[in-house]
Amino acid sequence: MPTAYIVDAVRTAGGRRGGRLAGVHPVDLLASSLDAIVERSGIDPKAVDDVVTGCVTQAGEQAMQVGRMGVLASKKLPQSTPAVTIDRQCGSSQQAIQFAAQAVMSGTQDVVIASGVESMTRVPMGTNATFHMKEGLGHYKSPGLEEKYPGVQFSQFMGAEMIAKKHDFSKDMLDQFSLESHQKAIAATEVGAFDNEIVPIRIETPEGEEMHTIDEGIRFDATLEGIAGVKLLAPDGRVTAASASQICDGSSAVLVVSEEALKAHGLTPLARIHNLTVTAGDPVIMLEEPLFATDRALERAGMKIEDIDLYEVNEAFAPVPMAWLKHTGADPEKLNVHGGAIALGHPLGASGTKLMTTLVHALKRHGKKYGLQTMCEGGGVANVTIVESL
């Protein structure tokens, strides 16, 4: 079977809700990452066979097939470039990578951009459902679904609490993990670890025009006392906003190509895609599936967790990567080495390609070989992608 290669990967620095990226339309935010991946890689724009874009809240400014809108707003890609927008919840753009790789590995396409976008400021999470409910236009939970899951509210917040209690993670343990996410992100920022992956975005501020290049969610003054003082999301719970991923605006893109395209366009790959896995399980606890998806991915790849040099496990809520570490027996020192979504933000549909961007650049920076990325996703689904740095 043909091999799929990652040539380059880029992301915007995250913007906090109502923050520095709030003035940027999500279509233009996506176009910025698409333009950057074309320019940096040197690929002939006309050679791009497809653009696969992850986006979760496909409503309002992210409606009307936002991936195609991003291509049309691009300054680099011609209007003849196809695009499609997909929703696998938080794993949307990780699935975009896997669809891009599958297209290349099948021999049907040679050059595909996987991408993602989410402006959680301008298109608030869940509004693609709640607006319809408020207008009396129906609810996603059908009679058939209600019959199978009577009275069940599919909630990621409840899932996070269930994982914390199942694995006996105290609030103090979650708070400590959250502090370490900020500490790692601070250290990475201060040494320039993100410089090769961030796309500068021109923004307007009260002081004038600036370039947005630093993740806005990082709390450079974070302390354990401050994190511990944040109120619980549920009265009898363990999770707080400080131990959950930050609402975030951002976009990201990864260029996936065939070996033939490498030769034809004189491209140098960053990584080889080694394994693609997606599994599904319990939709109620929901966020635990990365544990079992990782088992499946390692089995299919003929690898052990010790063979993996770096892991990117999305910090949707602190209990998720903590449970993943406990289940897999993975080395905590290899996990989210430049910080995770608790500090850097989780721009939903953009997070999959965002995490892959950070992973492939971290492997290169630290001189490591194998990287594993996984995401918990709404509905109890999880993707795992294993890459080999070149």
Side-chain angles (χ1 to χ4, degrees):
M1 183 177 292
T3 300
Y5 296 89
I6 293 174
V7 170
D8 209 343
V10 299
R11 69 174 182 91
T12 65
R16 294 173 70 176
R17 177 167 53 184
R20 288 169 64 83
L21 291 179
V24 183
H25 194 291
V27 169
D28 294 331
L29 195 60
L30 173 59
S32 296
S33 285
L34 296 178
D35 286 344
I37 201 74
V38 171
E39 184 173 1
R40 284 179 33 151
S41 67
I43 188 70
D44 178 357
K46 295 179 181 178
V48 177
D49 293 308
D50 206 355
V51 174
V52 186
T53 299
C55 182
V56 174
T57 311
Q58 296 181 34
E61 293 182 356
Q62 293 174 171
M64 300 301 290
Q65 225 271 67
V66 68
R68 176 61 174 162
M69 296 299 107
V71 167
L72 295 178
S74 165
K75 296 178 174 62
K76 299 291 183 181
L77 292 168
Q79 68 177 13
S80 58
T81 307
V84 63
T85 306
I86 62 170
D87 174 10
R88 203 190 280 278
Q89 296 293 277
C90 298
S92 294
S93 57
Q94 184 172 359
Q95 185 60 55
I97 294 170
Q98 297 194 181
F99 280 154
Q102 287 166 348
V104 166
M105 293 164 71
S106 72
T108 57
Q109 294 178 324
D110 289 301
V111 180
V112 183
I113 297 175
S115 60
V117 66
E118 206 83 36
S119 177
M120 299 181 73
T121 295
R122 299 171 71 108
V123 189
M125 180 171 57
T127 50
N128 52 343
T130 56
F131 279 176
H132 287 75
M133 295 177 200
K134 289 175 182 176
E135 293 298 320
L137 297 175
H139 192 282
Y140 70 87
K141 200 172 184 189
S142 72
L145 192 55
E146 178 63 28
E147 183 179 350
K148 288 189 68 176
Y149 298 94
V152 172
Q153 178 185 357
F154 297 113
S155 165
Q156 296 197 28
F157 300 100
M158 290 171 56
E161 290 288 1
M162 291 170 71
I163 293 173
K165 290 173 183 175
K166 177 178 177 178
H167 293 274
D168 198 24
F169 298 140
S170 67
K171 178 181 179 296
D172 289 346
M173 294 167 70
L174 304 183
D175 290 345
Q176 180 62 40
F177 183 93
S178 303
L179 174 64
E180 290 169 3
S181 181
H182 284 281
Q183 290 173 333
K184 289 187 283 188
I186 291 166
T189 300
E190 289 178 343
V191 300
F194 296 133
D195 291 354
N196 287 337
E197 64 191 64
I198 288 180
V199 177
I201 301 292
R202 194 177 304 278
I203 60 170
E204 296 291 337
T205 74
E207 292 74 34
E209 194 175 83
E210 292 181 12
M211 300 304 288
H212 177 60
T213 59
I214 296 176
D215 293 287
E216 194 178 6
I218 304 171
R219 298 196 181 274
F220 288 87
D221 59 350
T223 64
L224 188 58
E225 293 74 22
I227 289 172
V230 178
K231 67 178 182 180
L232 294 165
L233 294 176
D236 60 343
R238 306 180 188 191
V239 178
T240 72
S243 55
S245 55
Q246 292 189 39
I247 289 174
C248 184
D249 304 332
S251 69
S252 48
V254 173
L255 181 62
V256 180
V257 308
S258 66
E259 189 167 358
E260 289 75 12
L262 288 178
K263 297 173 183 176
H265 299 280
L267 305 171
T268 302
L270 273 177
R272 175 188 295 114
I273 294 179
H274 199 64
N275 176 266
L276 310 169
T277 296
V278 60
T279 67
D282 186 342
V284 181
I285 195 169
M286 191 182 297
L287 309 180
E288 201 176 30
E289 191 59 21
L291 284 58
F292 317 119
T294 298
D295 291 341
R296 177 66 172 146
L298 291 171
E299 178 187 357
R300 293 184 64 181
M303 303 177 77
K304 297 179 180 179
I305 195 65
E306 295 81 10
D307 298 324
I308 307 296
D309 297 302
L310 295 178
Y311 332 116
E312 282 289 330
V313 180
N314 193 39
E315 295 175 358
F317 299 88
V320 177
M322 291 172 65
W324 184 89
L325 283 171
K326 179 181 175 183
H327 176 84
T328 61
D331 182 353
E333 296 299 317
K334 299 179 179 180
L335 175 69
N336 302 347
V337 294
H338 292 162
I342 289 170
L344 299 167
H346 176 20
L348 300 184
S351 285
T353 34
K354 174 183 182 291
L355 264 64
M356 181 58 74
T357 295
T358 296
L359 179 59
V360 294
H361 286 288
L363 287 168
K364 185 68 66 176
R365 180 178 183 86
H366 295 286
K368 303 298 184 181
K369 186 174 184 181
Y370 288 110
L372 182 150
Q373 174 191 349
T374 188
M375 312 272 288
C376 58
E377 301 156 12
V381 182
N383 285 74
V384 177
T385 312
I386 299 174
V387 297
E388 179 184 357
S389 184
L390 298 174

